[in-house]
PDB file of all heavy atoms in Angstrom:
ATOM      1  N   SER V  28      52.823  60.420  25.613  1.00 84.00           N
ATOM      2  CA  SER V  28      52.538  59.978  26.970  1.00 84.00           C
ATOM      3  C   SER V  28      52.093  61.170  27.809  1.00 84.00           C
ATOM      4  O   SER V  28      52.416  62.311  27.519  1.00 84.00           O
ATOM      5  CB  SER V  28      53.760  59.326  27.597  1.00 84.00           C
ATOM      6  OG  SER V  28      54.791  60.279  27.713  1.00 84.00           O
ATOM      7  N   LYS V  29      51.336  60.848  28.813  1.00 86.00           N
ATOM      8  CA  LYS V  29      50.854  61.861  29.736  1.00 86.00           C
ATOM      9  C   LYS V  29      51.506  61.608  31.091  1.00 86.00           C
ATOM     10  O   LYS V  29      51.924  60.504  31.384  1.00 86.00           O
ATOM     11  CB  LYS V  29      49.328  61.749  29.886  1.00 86.00           C
ATOM     12  CG  LYS V  29      48.577  61.986  28.607  1.00 86.00           C
ATOM     13  CD  LYS V  29      47.095  61.799  28.845  1.00 86.00           C
ATOM     14  CE  LYS V  29      46.327  61.963  27.556  1.00 86.00           C
ATOM     15  NZ  LYS V  29      44.901  61.696  27.732  1.00 86.00           N
ATOM     16  N   PRO V  30      51.572  62.613  31.920  1.00 86.00           N
ATOM     17  CA  PRO V  30      52.084  62.363  33.269  1.00 86.00           C
ATOM     18  C   PRO V  30      51.122  61.467  34.039  1.00 86.00           C
ATOM     19  O   PRO V  30      49.932  61.422  33.743  1.00 86.00           O
ATOM     20  CB  PRO V  30      52.170  63.757  33.889  1.00 86.00           C
ATOM     21  CG  PRO V  30      51.362  64.644  33.027  1.00 86.00           C
ATOM     22  CD  PRO V  30      51.269  64.008  31.686  1.00 86.00           C
ATOM     23  N   PRO V  31      51.601  60.718  35.012  1.00 81.00           N
ATOM     24  CA  PRO V  31      50.717  59.810  35.750  1.00 81.00           C
ATOM     25  C   PRO V  31      49.669  60.580  36.537  1.00 81.00           C
ATOM     26  O   PRO V  31      49.881  61.704  36.969  1.00 81.00           O
ATOM     27  CB  PRO V  31      51.665  59.062  36.682  1.00 81.00           C
ATOM     28  CG  PRO V  31      52.861  59.921  36.793  1.00 81.00           C
ATOM     29  CD  PRO V  31      52.968  60.665  35.511  1.00 81.00           C
ATOM     30  N   ARG V  32      48.520  59.945  36.711  1.00 88.00           N
ATOM     31  CA  ARG V  32      47.448  60.581  37.479  1.00 88.00           C
ATOM     32  C   ARG V  32      47.835  60.702  38.939  1.00 88.00           C
ATOM     33  O   ARG V  32      47.525  61.676  39.603  1.00 88.00           O
ATOM     34  CB  ARG V  32      46.166  59.772  37.356  1.00 88.00           C
ATOM     35  CG  ARG V  32      45.583  59.798  35.972  1.00 88.00           C
ATOM     36  CD  ARG V  32      44.301  59.013  35.910  1.00 88.00           C
ATOM     37  NE  ARG V  32      43.877  58.872  34.530  1.00 88.00           N
ATOM     38  CZ  ARG V  32      43.124  57.912  34.078  1.00 88.00           C
ATOM     39  NH1 ARG V  32      42.687  56.978  34.906  1.00 88.00           N
ATOM     40  NH2 ARG V  32      42.795  57.855  32.809  1.00 88.00           N
ATOM     41  N   GLU V  33      48.496  59.647  39.468  1.00 89.00           N
ATOM     42  CA  GLU V  33      48.928  59.650  40.862  1.00 89.00           C
ATOM     43  C   GLU V  33      50.422  59.338  40.903  1.00 89.00           C
ATOM     44  O   GLU V  33      50.897  58.486  40.167  1.00 89.00           O
ATOM     45  CB  GLU V  33      48.180  58.584  41.659  1.00 89.00           C
ATOM     46  CG  GLU V  33      46.686  58.764  41.688  1.00 89.00           C
ATOM     47  CD  GLU V  33      45.999  57.604  42.391  1.00 89.00           C
ATOM     48  OE1 GLU V  33      46.705  56.715  42.900  1.00 89.00           O
ATOM     49  OE2 GLU V  33      44.763  57.600  42.419  1.00 89.00           O
ATOM     50  N   GLN V  34      51.137  60.003  41.763  1.00 91.00           N
ATOM     51  CA  GLN V  34      52.554  59.711  41.943  1.00 91.00           C
ATOM     52  C   GLN V  34      52.703  58.431  42.757  1.00 91.00           C
ATOM     53  O   GLN V  34      51.883  58.128  43.623  1.00 91.00           O
ATOM     54  CB  GLN V  34      53.238  60.863  42.683  1.00 91.00           C
ATOM     55  CG  GLN V  34      53.302  62.147  41.879  1.00 91.00           C
ATOM     56  CD  GLN V  34      54.208  62.015  40.671  1.00 91.00           C
ATOM     57  OE1 GLN V  34      55.217  61.310  40.714  1.00 91.00           O
ATOM     58  NE2 GLN V  34      53.846  62.667  39.591  1.00 91.00           N
ATOM     59  N   LEU V  35      53.753  57.664  42.466  1.00 89.00           N
ATOM     60  CA  LEU V  35      54.005  56.438  43.210  1.00 89.00           C
ATOM     61  C   LEU V  35      54.561  56.785  44.579  1.00 89.00           C
ATOM     62  O   LEU V  35      55.448  57.623  44.713  1.00 89.00           O
ATOM     63  CB  LEU V  35      54.993  55.548  42.469  1.00 89.00           C
ATOM     64  CG  LEU V  35      54.505  54.928  41.170  1.00 89.00           C
ATOM     65  CD1 LEU V  35      55.623  54.126  40.533  1.00 89.00           C
ATOM     66  CD2 LEU V  35      53.309  54.052  41.419  1.00 89.00           C
ATOM     67  N   GLY V  36      54.050  56.107  45.576  1.00 93.00           N
ATOM     68  CA  GLY V  36      54.524  56.326  46.931  1.00 93.00           C
ATOM     69  C   GLY V  36      55.689  55.420  47.267  1.00 93.00           C
ATOM     70  O   GLY V  36      56.097  54.554  46.491  1.00 93.00           O
ATOM     71  N   THR V  37      56.222  55.602  48.456  1.00 95.00           N
ATOM     72  CA  THR V  37      57.357  54.804  48.907  1.00 95.00           C
ATOM     73  C   THR V  37      56.970  53.338  49.053  1.00 95.00           C
ATOM     74  O   THR V  37      57.748  52.437  48.695  1.00 95.00           O
ATOM     75  CB  THR V  37      57.870  55.338  50.255  1.00 95.00           C
ATOM     76  OG1 THR V  37      58.109  56.737  50.119  1.00 95.00           O
ATOM     77  CG2 THR V  37      59.147  54.666  50.663  1.00 95.00           C
ATOM     78  N   VAL V  38      55.778  53.080  49.535  1.00 96.00           N
ATOM     79  CA  VAL V  38      55.322  51.695  49.718  1.00 96.00           C
ATOM     80  C   VAL V  38      55.160  51.010  48.366  1.00 96.00           C
ATOM     81  O   VAL V  38      55.542  49.845  48.200  1.00 96.00           O
ATOM     82  CB  VAL V  38      53.997  51.679  50.514  1.00 96.00           C
ATOM     83  CG1 VAL V  38      53.452  50.269  50.622  1.00 96.00           C
ATOM     84  CG2 VAL V  38      54.186  52.295  51.888  1.00 96.00           C
ATOM     85  N   ASP V  39      54.623  51.732  47.391  1.00 94.00           N
ATOM     86  CA  ASP V  39      54.456  51.153  46.053  1.00 94.00           C
ATOM     87  C   ASP V  39      55.798  50.789  45.434  1.00 94.00           C
ATOM     88  O   ASP V  39      55.951  49.717  44.816  1.00 94.00           O
ATOM     89  CB  ASP V  39      53.723  52.137  45.139  1.00 94.00           C
ATOM     90  CG  ASP V  39      52.334  52.462  45.619  1.00 94.00           C
ATOM     91  OD1 ASP V  39      51.714  51.573  46.235  1.00 94.00           O
ATOM     92  OD2 ASP V  39      51.878  53.596  45.381  1.00 94.00           O
ATOM     93  N   VAL V  40      56.773  51.659  45.570  1.00 94.00           N
ATOM     94  CA  VAL V  40      58.108  51.394  45.027  1.00 94.00           C
ATOM     95  C   VAL V  40      58.749  50.221  45.756  1.00 94.00           C
ATOM     96  O   VAL V  40      59.370  49.349  45.128  1.00 94.00           O
ATOM     97  CB  VAL V  40      58.986  52.662  45.123  1.00 94.00           C
ATOM     98  CG1 VAL V  40      60.409  52.357  44.739  1.00 94.00           C
ATOM     99  CG2 VAL V  40      58.421  53.753  44.237  1.00 94.00           C
ATOM    100  N   ALA V  41      58.581  50.158  47.072  1.00 97.00           N
ATOM    101  CA  ALA V  41      59.159  49.056  47.846  1.00 97.00           C
ATOM    102  C   ALA V  41      58.538  47.725  47.448  1.00 97.00           C
ATOM    103  O   ALA V  41      59.243  46.712  47.319  1.00 97.00           O
ATOM    104  CB  ALA V  41      58.964  49.311  49.334  1.00 97.00           C
ATOM    105  N   ILE V  42      57.236  47.703  47.244  1.00 96.00           N
ATOM    106  CA  ILE V  42      56.563  46.470  46.811  1.00 96.00           C
ATOM    107  C   ILE V  42      57.051  46.048  45.430  1.00 96.00           C
ATOM    108  O   ILE V  42      57.306  44.870  45.180  1.00 96.00           O
ATOM    109  CB  ILE V  42      55.039  46.657  46.840  1.00 96.00           C
ATOM    110  CG1 ILE V  42      54.553  46.766  48.283  1.00 96.00           C
ATOM    111  CG2 ILE V  42      54.334  45.514  46.119  1.00 96.00           C
ATOM    112  CD1 ILE V  42      53.098  47.148  48.410  1.00 96.00           C
ATOM    113  N   GLY V  43      57.200  46.981  44.533  1.00 94.00           N
ATOM    114  CA  GLY V  43      57.671  46.665  43.188  1.00 94.00           C
ATOM    115  C   GLY V  43      59.091  46.133  43.177  1.00 94.00           C
ATOM    116  O   GLY V  43      59.392  45.139  42.503  1.00 94.00           O
ATOM    117  N   LEU V  44      59.984  46.773  43.920  1.00 94.00           N
ATOM    118  CA  LEU V  44      61.370  46.310  43.963  1.00 94.00           C
ATOM    119  C   LEU V  44      61.487  44.946  44.646  1.00 94.00           C
ATOM    120  O   LEU V  44      62.266  44.095  44.218  1.00 94.00           O
ATOM    121  CB  LEU V  44      62.246  47.333  44.675  1.00 94.00           C
ATOM    122  CG  LEU V  44      62.493  48.628  43.905  1.00 94.00           C
ATOM    123  CD1 LEU V  44      63.258  49.607  44.765  1.00 94.00           C
ATOM    124  CD2 LEU V  44      63.227  48.360  42.621  1.00 94.00           C
ATOM    125  N   THR V  45      60.700  44.726  45.703  1.00 96.00           N
ATOM    126  CA  THR V  45      60.723  43.435  46.386  1.00 96.00           C
ATOM    127  C   THR V  45      60.216  42.328  45.475  1.00 96.00           C
ATOM    128  O   THR V  45      60.798  41.234  45.422  1.00 96.00           O
ATOM    129  CB  THR V  45      59.869  43.497  47.665  1.00 96.00           C
ATOM    130  OG1 THR V  45      60.341  44.562  48.482  1.00 96.00           O
ATOM    131  CG2 THR V  45      59.925  42.198  48.425  1.00 96.00           C
ATOM    132  N   SER V  46      59.158  42.589  44.738  1.00 96.00           N
ATOM    133  CA  SER V  46      58.638  41.560  43.838  1.00 96.00           C
ATOM    134  C   SER V  46      59.626  41.265  42.712  1.00 96.00           C
ATOM    135  O   SER V  46      59.775  40.108  42.302  1.00 96.00           O
ATOM    136  CB  SER V  46      57.278  41.971  43.281  1.00 96.00           C
ATOM    137  OG  SER V  46      57.400  43.123  42.479  1.00 96.00           O
TER     138      SER V  46
END
Side-chain angles (χ1 to χ4, degrees):
S28 64
K29 298 178 183 176
R32 292 181 189 155
E33 300 175 4
Q34 293 293 326
L35 292 178
T37 307
V38 176
D39 298 329
V40 173
I42 291 172
L44 289 175
T45 304
S46 64

